[in-house]
mmCIF file of all heavy atoms in Angstrom:
data_model
loop_
_atom_site.group_PDB
_atom_site.id
_atom_site.type_symbol
_atom_site.label_atom_id
_atom_site.label_comp_id
_atom_site.label_asym_id
_atom_site.label_seq_id
_atom_site.Cartn_x
_atom_site.Cartn_y
_atom_site.Cartn_z
ATOM 1 N N MET S 769 137.085 110.864 75.499
ATOM 2 C CA MET S 769 138.242 110.297 74.805
ATOM 3 C C MET S 769 137.896 109.667 73.454
ATOM 4 O O MET S 769 138.799 109.252 72.730
ATOM 5 C CB MET S 769 138.916 109.239 75.691
ATOM 6 C CG MET S 769 139.298 109.729 77.077
ATOM 7 S SD MET S 769 139.959 108.406 78.121
ATOM 8 C CE MET S 769 141.414 107.938 77.196
ATOM 9 N N GLY S 770 136.621 109.568 73.144
ATOM 10 C CA GLY S 770 136.240 108.863 71.918
ATOM 11 C C GLY S 770 136.221 107.365 72.152
ATOM 12 O O GLY S 770 136.718 106.870 73.160
ATOM 13 N N TRP S 771 135.685 106.627 71.156
ATOM 14 C CA TRP S 771 135.544 105.188 71.390
ATOM 15 C C TRP S 771 136.873 104.456 71.364
ATOM 16 O O TRP S 771 137.061 103.458 72.077
ATOM 17 C CB TRP S 771 134.577 104.591 70.367
ATOM 18 C CG TRP S 771 135.095 104.516 68.956
ATOM 19 C CD1 TRP S 771 134.976 105.458 67.982
ATOM 20 C CD2 TRP S 771 135.792 103.411 68.376
ATOM 21 N NE1 TRP S 771 135.568 105.017 66.826
ATOM 22 C CE2 TRP S 771 136.071 103.762 67.030
ATOM 23 C CE3 TRP S 771 136.214 102.175 68.839
ATOM 24 C CZ2 TRP S 771 136.760 102.919 66.172
ATOM 25 C CZ3 TRP S 771 136.899 101.322 67.976
ATOM 26 C CH2 TRP S 771 137.165 101.693 66.657
ATOM 27 N N ARG S 772 137.838 104.962 70.596
ATOM 28 C CA ARG S 772 139.143 104.304 70.564
ATOM 29 C C ARG S 772 139.864 104.446 71.905
ATOM 30 O O ARG S 772 140.423 103.476 72.438
ATOM 31 C CB ARG S 772 140.009 104.879 69.438
ATOM 32 C CG ARG S 772 139.475 104.592 68.039
ATOM 33 C CD ARG S 772 140.393 105.157 66.972
ATOM 34 N NE ARG S 772 139.852 104.986 65.634
ATOM 35 C CZ ARG S 772 139.984 103.891 64.906
ATOM 36 N NH1 ARG S 772 140.675 102.873 65.387
ATOM 37 N NH2 ARG S 772 139.462 103.823 63.689
ATOM 38 N N GLY S 773 139.840 105.636 72.452
ATOM 39 C CA GLY S 773 140.461 105.842 73.758
ATOM 40 C C GLY S 773 139.765 105.049 74.852
ATOM 41 O O GLY S 773 140.414 104.512 75.763
ATOM 42 N N THR S 774 138.454 104.981 74.756
ATOM 43 C CA THR S 774 137.695 104.213 75.743
ATOM 44 C C THR S 774 138.062 102.732 75.693
ATOM 45 O O THR S 774 138.231 102.084 76.737
ATOM 46 C CB THR S 774 136.178 104.370 75.483
ATOM 47 O OG1 THR S 774 135.836 105.752 75.567
ATOM 48 C CG2 THR S 774 135.380 103.584 76.507
ATOM 49 N N MET S 775 138.218 102.191 74.490
ATOM 50 C CA MET S 775 138.603 100.785 74.360
ATOM 51 C C MET S 775 139.985 100.531 74.950
ATOM 52 O O MET S 775 140.243 99.472 75.548
ATOM 53 C CB MET S 775 138.566 100.366 72.889
ATOM 54 C CG MET S 775 137.175 100.365 72.274
ATOM 55 S SD MET S 775 136.058 99.206 73.096
ATOM 56 C CE MET S 775 136.806 97.640 72.671
ATOM 57 N N ARG S 776 140.882 101.500 74.832
ATOM 58 C CA ARG S 776 142.217 101.332 75.420
ATOM 59 C C ARG S 776 142.141 101.299 76.943
ATOM 60 O O ARG S 776 142.817 100.495 77.599
ATOM 61 C CB ARG S 776 143.134 102.461 74.954
ATOM 62 C CG ARG S 776 143.423 102.463 73.454
ATOM 63 C CD ARG S 776 144.506 103.466 73.101
ATOM 64 N NE ARG S 776 144.702 103.554 71.649
ATOM 65 C CZ ARG S 776 144.203 104.483 70.875
ATOM 66 N NH1 ARG S 776 143.454 105.452 71.393
ATOM 67 N NH2 ARG S 776 144.434 104.480 69.579
ATOM 68 N N VAL S 777 141.328 102.190 77.507
ATOM 69 C CA VAL S 777 141.169 102.207 78.968
ATOM 70 C C VAL S 777 140.567 100.894 79.464
ATOM 71 O O VAL S 777 141.027 100.309 80.456
ATOM 72 C CB VAL S 777 140.284 103.397 79.393
ATOM 73 C CG1 VAL S 777 139.959 103.315 80.886
ATOM 74 C CG2 VAL S 777 140.979 104.719 79.079
ATOM 75 N N LEU S 778 139.558 100.402 78.776
ATOM 76 C CA LEU S 778 138.927 99.141 79.169
ATOM 77 C C LEU S 778 139.887 97.972 78.989
ATOM 78 O O LEU S 778 139.858 97.015 79.778
ATOM 79 C CB LEU S 778 137.657 98.909 78.347
ATOM 80 C CG LEU S 778 136.516 99.907 78.574
ATOM 81 C CD1 LEU S 778 135.341 99.596 77.648
ATOM 82 C CD2 LEU S 778 136.054 99.891 80.030
ATOM 83 N N ALA S 779 140.753 98.053 77.979
ATOM 84 C CA ALA S 779 141.739 96.990 77.778
ATOM 85 C C ALA S 779 142.726 96.936 78.938
ATOM 86 O O ALA S 779 143.102 95.851 79.404
ATOM 87 C CB ALA S 779 142.476 97.204 76.453
ATOM 88 N N VAL S 780 143.136 98.098 79.418
ATOM 89 C CA VAL S 780 144.045 98.141 80.579
ATOM 90 C C VAL S 780 143.352 97.580 81.817
ATOM 91 O O VAL S 780 143.953 96.849 82.614
ATOM 92 C CB VAL S 780 144.521 99.589 80.826
ATOM 93 C CG1 VAL S 780 145.309 99.677 82.132
ATOM 94 C CG2 VAL S 780 145.378 100.077 79.670
ATOM 95 N N ALA S 781 142.072 97.912 81.982
ATOM 96 C CA ALA S 781 141.318 97.370 83.113
ATOM 97 C C ALA S 781 141.227 95.846 83.035
ATOM 98 O O ALA S 781 141.366 95.143 84.045
ATOM 99 C CB ALA S 781 139.912 97.980 83.150
ATOM 100 N N CYS S 782 141.022 95.332 81.832
ATOM 101 C CA CYS S 782 140.975 93.881 81.658
ATOM 102 C C CYS S 782 142.335 93.241 81.923
ATOM 103 O O CYS S 782 142.425 92.142 82.481
ATOM 104 C CB CYS S 782 140.513 93.532 80.246
ATOM 105 S SG CYS S 782 138.784 93.932 79.914
ATOM 106 N N LEU S 783 143.393 93.942 81.543
ATOM 107 C CA LEU S 783 144.736 93.434 81.803
ATOM 108 C C LEU S 783 144.989 93.293 83.299
ATOM 109 O O LEU S 783 145.717 92.396 83.743
ATOM 110 C CB LEU S 783 145.781 94.355 81.166
ATOM 111 C CG LEU S 783 147.245 93.907 81.270
ATOM 112 C CD1 LEU S 783 147.442 92.575 80.540
ATOM 113 C CD2 LEU S 783 148.177 94.974 80.688
ATOM 114 N N GLY S 784 144.361 94.170 84.088
ATOM 115 C CA GLY S 784 144.510 94.071 85.537
ATOM 116 C C GLY S 784 143.948 92.780 86.097
ATOM 117 O O GLY S 784 144.325 92.359 87.209
ATOM 118 N N CYS S 785 143.074 92.124 85.347
ATOM 119 C CA CYS S 785 142.521 90.842 85.805
ATOM 120 C C CYS S 785 143.586 89.757 85.861
ATOM 121 O O CYS S 785 143.395 88.745 86.544
ATOM 122 C CB CYS S 785 141.392 90.401 84.885
ATOM 123 S SG CYS S 785 139.938 91.473 84.938
ATOM 124 N N VAL S 786 144.718 89.963 85.155
ATOM 125 C CA VAL S 786 145.814 89.000 85.219
ATOM 126 C C VAL S 786 146.332 88.893 86.654
ATOM 127 O O VAL S 786 146.678 87.808 87.130
ATOM 128 C CB VAL S 786 146.942 89.421 84.259
ATOM 129 C CG1 VAL S 786 148.156 88.514 84.420
ATOM 130 C CG2 VAL S 786 146.453 89.392 82.820
ATOM 131 N N VAL S 787 146.389 90.027 87.339
ATOM 132 C CA VAL S 787 146.841 90.025 88.739
ATOM 133 C C VAL S 787 145.891 89.184 89.586
ATOM 134 O O VAL S 787 146.323 88.399 90.441
ATOM 135 C CB VAL S 787 146.934 91.461 89.273
ATOM 136 C CG1 VAL S 787 147.368 91.466 90.737
ATOM 137 C CG2 VAL S 787 147.894 92.288 88.433
ATOM 138 N N CYS S 788 144.597 89.345 89.348
ATOM 139 C CA CYS S 788 143.611 88.545 90.087
ATOM 140 C C CYS S 788 143.760 87.062 89.757
ATOM 141 O O CYS S 788 143.637 86.204 90.639
ATOM 142 C CB CYS S 788 142.193 89.010 89.746
ATOM 143 S SG CYS S 788 141.862 90.739 90.137
#
Side-chain angles (χ1 to χ4, degrees):
M769 306 175 62
W771 71 270
R772 294 181 184 276
T774 301
M775 294 299 293
R776 295 189 185 99
V777 172
L778 295 177
V780 172
C782 291
L783 184 62
C785 294
V786 174
V787 179
C788 300

